[in-house]
Amino acid sequence: MQQLGQYRALSNAPVEDHGIRVGLMGVPFDNGVSYQGGPRLAPQRIRSLMPRLARISEEGVPLVLPIFDYGDVGPDLDWARYFSTVEERALTVLNENQLALFLGGDHSVGIPLFKAFARRFPGPVGYIQFDAHPDLADEYDGHPWSHACTARRNLEQAGLDHRHLAFVGLRSHMVDELQYYAEHPEIGWHTAREVYRRGIEAVARDVAAQLAGVSAVYLSIDVDGIDPSCTPGTGTPVHGGPSMRECMEFMRIIYAELPVRAMDIVEVSPPLDISDVTSMAAVKLLYEGCGFFQEKSLR
Amino acid sequence: MQQLGQYRALSNAPVEDHGIRVGLMGVPFDNGVSYQGGPRLAPQRIRSLMPRLARISEEGVPLVLPIFDYGDVGPDLDWARYFSTVEERALTVLNENQLALFLGGDHSVGIPLFKAFARRFPGPVGYIQFDAHPDLADEYDGHPWSHACTARRNLEQAGLDHRHLAFVGLRSHMVDELQYYAEHPEIGWHTAREVYRRGIEAVARDVAAQLAGVSAVYLSIDVDGIDPSCTPGTGTPVHGGPSMRECMEFMRIIYAELPVRAMDIVEVSPPLDISDVTSMAAVKLLYEGCGFFQEKSLR
Amino acid sequence: MQQLGQYRALSNAPVEDHGIRVGLMGVPFDNGVSYQGGPRLAPQRIRSLMPRLARISEEGVPLVLPIFDYGDVGPDLDWARYFSTVEERALTVLNENQLALFLGGDHSVGIPLFKAFARRFPGPVGYIQFDAHPDLADEYDGHPWSHACTARRNLEQAGLDHRHLAFVGLRSHMVDELQYYAEHPEIGWHTAREVYRRGIEAVARDVAAQLAGVSAVYLSIDVDGIDPSCTPGTGTPVHGGPSMRECMEFMRIIYAELPVRAMDIVEVSPPLDISDVTSMAAVKLLYEGCGFFQEKSLR
Amino acid sequence: MQQLGQYRALSNAPVEDHGIRVGLMGVPFDNGVSYQGGPRLAPQRIRSLMPRLARISEEGVPLVLPIFDYGDVGPDLDWARYFSTVEERALTVLNENQLALFLGGDHSVGIPLFKAFARRFPGPVGYIQFDAHPDLADEYDGHPWSHACTARRNLEQAGLDHRHLAFVGLRSHMVDELQYYAEHPEIGWHTAREVYRRGIEAVARDVAAQLAGVSAVYLSIDVDGIDPSCTPGTGTPVHGGPSMRECMEFMRIIYAELPVRAMDIVEVSPPLDISDVTSMAAVKLLYEGCGFFQEKSLR
Amino acid sequence: MQQLGQYRALSNAPVEDHGIRVGLMGVPFDNGVSYQGGPRLAPQRIRSLMPRLARISEEGVPLVLPIFDYGDVGPDLDWARYFSTVEERALTVLNENQLALFLGGDHSVGIPLFKAFARRFPGPVGYIQFDAHPDLADEYDGHPWSHACTARRNLEQAGLDHRHLAFVGLRSHMVDELQYYAEHPEIGWHTAREVYRRGIEAVARDVAAQLAGVSAVYLSIDVDGIDPSCTPGTGTPVHGGPSMRECMEFMRIIYAELPVRAMDIVEVSPPLDISDVTSMAAVKLLYEGCGFFQEKSLR
Amino acid sequence: MQQLGQYRALSNAPVEDHGIRVGLMGVPFDNGVSYQGGPRLAPQRIRSLMPRLARISEEGVPLVLPIFDYGDVGPDLDWARYFSTVEERALTVLNENQLALFLGGDHSVGIPLFKAFARRFPGPVGYIQFDAHPDLADEYDGHPWSHACTARRNLEQAGLDHRHLAFVGLRSHMVDELQYYAEHPEIGWHTAREVYRRGIEAVARDVAAQLAGVSAVYLSIDVDGIDPSCTPGTGTPVHGGPSMRECMEFMRIIYAELPVRAMDIVEVSPPLDISDVTSMAAVKLLYEGCGFFQEKSLR
């Protein structure tokens, strides 16, 4: 995590020492998806685009908290060993920083990341997934670690309580997932159409109310949760989702109301992207997330 | 139409026999456009992407009605003979199914398709065109079957009444078309800007009121009716249109309020598309259309 | 400016002589940007796409004012001499027409263009920049003519009053720019988020009120002001901006309420574009601008 | 054909008047192909790239003969009428110039072009097709004017003698075409593999010997005759063909040894092209052809 | 393997029954590569392009042997189980056909495919790899089944003798691979530069001589063995390789001189491809391979 | 030049200390070209691809000489100051290393680079330009530093003797350039066609003979010198050039026969490239150049 200097240079404002740190780590893995790879290239691409956006929030707040880059978890074709490495390295990032930012990779990387999160914050933790799909399959493509199983694994293996799980932006499901939700109505289940009809602010406040009281919140942003008009570079684009604007407004409220301690951005697929707009969206979300976190931390 | 088995397999829910069938046919033809081809490749591409979206509506309704695929109307460079074949084969699809789904092709394929529709439902039928252009030219590029003439031909050759014709999403016209509308103010004429100002629901309800009482409705979705941010892969993108979300909300009301018996999706141009987002939009519209139809049919 | 005939042919309506003319000139230059070129190709590409859109406004007003094309200011690698040529040729366009339309080029071309504008209209003139960035840097990449310095130069070199400068769509800044604004709060400063929350109409009316009384208004549209979902083909896309629809509604009010006499469209980058949607957006904005101007002029 | 001025400007050398003229005409038509359009966009694209290559042959001969541009034969969706127009306009070009250059379009445009050529030169004329396919089908996709029928039509409808027909670069055939050749062994039939094994010079000299004595030669270059590594932007790329270098060496010998009076370049498909390399190849072939013709004419 | 009918239809010549069959199977897997996926999409894409090339060899031999399509080995994220399935299904193809054609996938799929081959032909078998890389790593990215280990695994796990292993086209190596070759100089080791200097025919005859006497030969074509000018759509393009023409001439001699019983084509990566030229190259190689096999079989 | 560690890691062989060093520096500048930018992005892209090719020559020689990376000369929009900076920094690289590798940028960057070279090696130095164009214009686009003027400036400003200037691969010229050559026939002038006819080895040996006796040689590789089939990603592709194989064979002889002390690779344009094949070509040329240099140095 020695690249602080590099990241400081990106800022147009001086880094300030408030005893609060942000850690960044990439997980360039996409073997949890059978249809088509691509997300493994995202961390490198997103990093390379970071210098193109000023480290100032869209509302004009210079991001003064230091960001420590822990690099990427390098390739290892032994899946079990790789996820174990991811979990351990994520735990380090979580231990050494107040906010951890993780860059996927396909959504399966959320399995070891959230396991580390649950180890770091042993009290009741919350998990919010901004996604077109609930990823509640028990198994997919013959494997329990498919990117369609992340939320299910988080519930079963990491002690997540159904009451502390919320989805936002849903619009593509499998029969088994619908059945699972029917059996667990305490899950927060907000479709894209609900966002359209009620407005993202109302939905965000519902989620904040649902998770009130948890000790720490993990926010997972699957870019296919956002509408493909904004983030086309992803493996399973589903039309009709919230816009980038709505995603940012959602994050603004969640960071303000809940103790977000980790955020991942997954399923960015540079080979499917168009003029890097999806990777640029990831950069924007990273910086705005830092800004929202800073606003709360330094309040 | 023997590929039922294939399509059943795509569903995550069992197909159910309610005596209601959906038929699908492609018309890979784009010689009705002079500027640039492409839509002839759409049926094949859209079909190939169908397995990537679960056959469940965005609101969670499994699509249990069987879909029978009648394949594509194969190439024939003799235009008159080709359109005649299209008309006859479309009539078969309409006769054997309660809902017919047609995949263009450029918009000129709507001419034989609607002729078949008018033969199938001889009572007063309605025709709704979701499009940036009214396609009311008498002739274009020297031919009355240009893709800019579809609505005009439907009025003149297939007995469509001006009172039963409605446009939604208009934002690009020719002088002759404006003149034609001035002479026929009973046509439903809803611009994209009207959609922006009044909301798609209000416009949809106006259309439903206009067409109340017809025996059957043909809904034609030209993907250039939708905003290019959502569906860029089309030959004449025109900015400022309704979003995919608005298109789906429009369809939801139309299917609920009117007896939709056929829907086409035209002007998808895979060579102009970007990471297949426009073809994926077509898949989404097909599936949501099936869902809306099913909700009403099985009510 | 001999290509009138060509442009008349594009119209579906006869050109009418009301003593009011529109002039068009391209400035294919992008050496004011260090990261990546591209905008120099825009004028040629945008012109080539003009015939693909009917010269009728989206609301159905045939554009009958003649458009005179003054061609492009050809390449000259001597920057100072080039900008001087641009300024002189722009002055000619401004002198010979009631509305001048300029096609960039990167935003630095606005420096000589606005200098010509200030010479043409020596009274208090207004400058509206629809942009994600305020371009208020004193110097950037070692040069005062960087595309990040346009508004600053307009203030300092062309006598623009801070009270007559308005920004709309801001969402990416540098620390120095924020500082400059803090020192000059009389500048109109409207962020993208403000547009989202208050609506574009309210923001447009604020701008109209701010600039009330100026003798002439220069409207600069940086396409990165618009959301990347609509106009991805630009060098520094920033998510969360107003849509093309909102941009057009903004223009509608500005043209109606203020004496717009020049408009530029800059930072369109064809090599970064996708199926020409961004260039098509420029064509749309040009035509709608002509329509708004005509509506007011012929009222 | 008024654009002489424009083309003179492209030259780096002054145009000289030797009483010898070159005429250029585009035929932007691709409805003779069922699979996928694209060549209709070629004339416009190729023309736009002409200024990017100096009008000097690769061996350093300035092209001083004037080139008169007859523009494109504009769109007409009535196929029979369109081909009739093409034939008449081609005849004019052939009558008014010593060398006619035609830009397709798909290969079907060769049917009216060669008909005009046979009318212009009523003596025994020669026809050389540089192509991966012999285009000898009697009918294809239900039509005798398919782009797979060009050579067959030239033989049957335009009085071409089998002895004066030569193919170079063949590597993809249909059974009927092989049968036709078996029945007409006097046709010059040179496969791509023969070019590889014997060298293009030997093959070119065989063709020159075969056609010795004809009054005029029409050279048709289907860019799919060239290897896809050089010209990928075409609808049916077939690997293993001669390179651009070999194509140019072939042309050099043919122009030197035979009375070439017309050349077409067909099947360039800009939408399938990559960074315009195939269109640039067409420009190169046009210019080298002019150079070879000039070298012989002014000798 | 029921799709015979479909493939017969593709032929322009009638299928003939000589008691000799060809089997085709896809292995859409690319988790053996850490850098970037893509080859998993190749079988589907290559199949979809097969109808675009006539089933006739480039030299005019109609391919009359029936091709039986065994489909693809569907996704299974459990790697060990997947390779086991591949091996068993490949064995079936090998048992039921005289020639087996396999479509990768990345090169790691050659591990189970060759294991099946070695089981099918227990005598001394030969293995020829046309490739830029020798794939002789003991382990790569932490796994012995990486696509950089294929030849090494074939030697160690499937009983391949070093004397019966030949490489053609080599031009990118790792130190360990060079060391391995130094210890096993009996391996046939032919660099791309040797091909350039000696000619592909001489190299092919050396390989034929080296493998004389084996009972069956497995020919593995990694498309990165071919020069990127011909086959750019692959994950690790290395310049300076043999052309498609040379690859075909190589295959012609190998099929003629040696008992080829299986051929794979691997590392085609459709997402990295350009206008499908690399997939079209694979189709060409498949068809020419069938033609060479047929010429020998029916001799 | 602190990034040695990073580059050592790329090697599969240990770096060895022979007192011989290689220095690498990027010059991301393309304002010397008026048509279209792009080469400024090359140094970053080429560096990012370096890890994908093993640091071993194609013939199997591990590259053991250390490569010191001097980074890029950062952006400065003041052209004169930028070129001055480039010259000074290049001089440092030349002073501290036995071989200097420079990555453009457009070809104009060769002007300050060669000036530094001429200062470093004051004896008679040689300059070899592998290029489609001679770049001998006195001025272009109004400026003497255009990328079309590089060789002319080297002759006039850096004391290069016409007898020590050689071009290889020429195939596109301007009249003035041909005139200049006519006046200076002692320049080595080798067209692409000569390479085709005589073979690259013969041409290379001629160049070696021409430059025998110079104290140091600067080799400039403009990637448009190579055929566009191999290196399409460049601003002015000209067909009919030598292949990558021929370019490498040329370099092999030049490095062996002459004291090459600097090499640049210019005009790689990532935005115009296709799947990075042109950037990969640059990596290959860099590594092979290192290999040739090492073979000679350690001999």
Side-chain angles (χ1 to χ4, degrees), chain E residues 5 34 54 56 73 82 85 87 90 103 112 119 131 139 184-187 217 237 267:
Chain E
S34 70
I56 293 181
V73 183
Y82 186 71
T85 306
E87 182 180 337
L103 294 173
R119 284 168 65 190
D131 200 332
E139 192 179 287
H184 301 282
E186 64 272 34
I187 293 174
V217 164
E267 299 284 353

Side-chain angles (χ1 to χ4, degrees), chain D residues 175 178, chain E residues 11 13-22 55-67 98-101 251-252 254-256 258 260-261 263 285-299:
Chain D
V175 166
L178 293 168
Chain E
S11 181
V15 171
E16 298 171 11
D17 183 359
H18 297 270
I20 301 175
R21 300 161 41 122
V22 177
R55 259 180 64 191
I56 293 181
S57 83
E58 66 163 340
E59 289 283 89
V61 180
L63 307 181
V64 298
L65 297 183
I67 300 177
Q98 276 69 36
L99 177 67
L101 301 172
M251 283 170 55
R252 181 182 296 271
I254 295 301
Y255 270 88
L258 294 171
V260 177
R261 300 298 296 276
M263 176 169 76
L285 296 179
L286 282 179
Y287 283 179
E288 293 299 321
C290 286
F292 300 146
F293 181 76
Q294 174 180 312
E295 277 186 75
K296 187 176 192 182
S297 306
L298 303 188
R299 206 180 296 161

Side-chain angles (χ1 to χ4, degrees), chain D residues 69-292:
Chain D
D69 189 349
Y70 288 71
D72 289 348
V73 184
D76 184 344
L77 292 177
D78 182 319
W79 193 350
R81 190 169 58 198
Y82 186 72
F83 268 23
S84 173
T85 305
V86 170
E87 183 179 337
E88 294 310 316
R89 289 188 53 183
L91 191 56
T92 300
V93 178
L94 289 160
N95 281 330
E96 297 179 359
N97 298 278
Q98 276 68 36
L99 176 67
L101 301 173
F102 301 118
L103 294 174
D106 71 55
H107 218 150
S108 73
V109 305
I111 296 172
L113 292 174
F114 187 77
K115 278 179 81 172
F117 190 79
R119 285 169 63 191
R120 167 67 181 83
F121 300 100
V125 296
Y127 175 74
I128 304 172
Q129 188 170 316
F130 192 97
D131 200 333
H133 317 79
D135 298 346
L136 283 169
D138 191 25
E139 190 179 289
Y140 197 76
D141 285 328
H143 209 286
W145 288 353
S146 158
H147 72 147
C149 306
T150 304
R152 185 72 169 266
R153 286 297 87 71
N154 290 353
L155 288 162
E156 294 176 358
Q157 297 183 352
L160 175 64
D161 191 307
H162 293 92
R163 291 168 302 172
H164 300 145
L165 166 61
F167 294 105
V168 175
L170 297 176
R171 55 198 185 276
S172 183
H173 335 266
M174 290 182 285
V175 166
D176 292 351
E177 295 177 318
L178 293 168
Q179 179 62 26
Y180 190 90
Y181 171 49
E183 293 163 5
H184 301 282
E186 64 273 34
I187 293 173
W189 188 274
H190 303 279
T191 66
R193 192 162 180 252
E194 183 195 341
V195 172
Y196 169 70
R197 294 173 69 85
R198 296 182 58 217
I200 191 68
E201 286 82 1
V203 170
R205 299 208 182 281
D206 279 6
V207 171
Q210 178 195 346
L211 300 198
V214 298
S215 62
V217 164
Y218 184 112
L219 174 58
S220 178
I221 308 276
D222 184 322
V223 293
D224 72 23
I226 301 159
D227 195 68
S229 59
C230 298
T231 50
T234 191
T236 50
V238 188
H239 287 271
S243 67
M244 268 293 287
R245 167 56 56 203
E246 290 169 312
C247 181
M248 290 189 288
E249 298 297 321
F250 177 76
M251 283 170 55
R252 181 181 296 270
I253 291 170
I254 294 301
Y255 271 88
E257 304 290 330
L258 293 172
V260 177
R261 300 297 298 275
M263 176 170 74
D264 69 37
I265 300 178
V266 298
E267 300 284 354
V268 172
S269 182
L272 297 174
D273 204 5
I274 302 162
S275 287
D276 285 327
V277 290
T278 307
S279 292
M280 285 299 280
V283 176
K284 182 86 172 169
L285 296 179
L286 282 179
Y287 283 179
E288 293 299 322
C290 286
F292 300 145

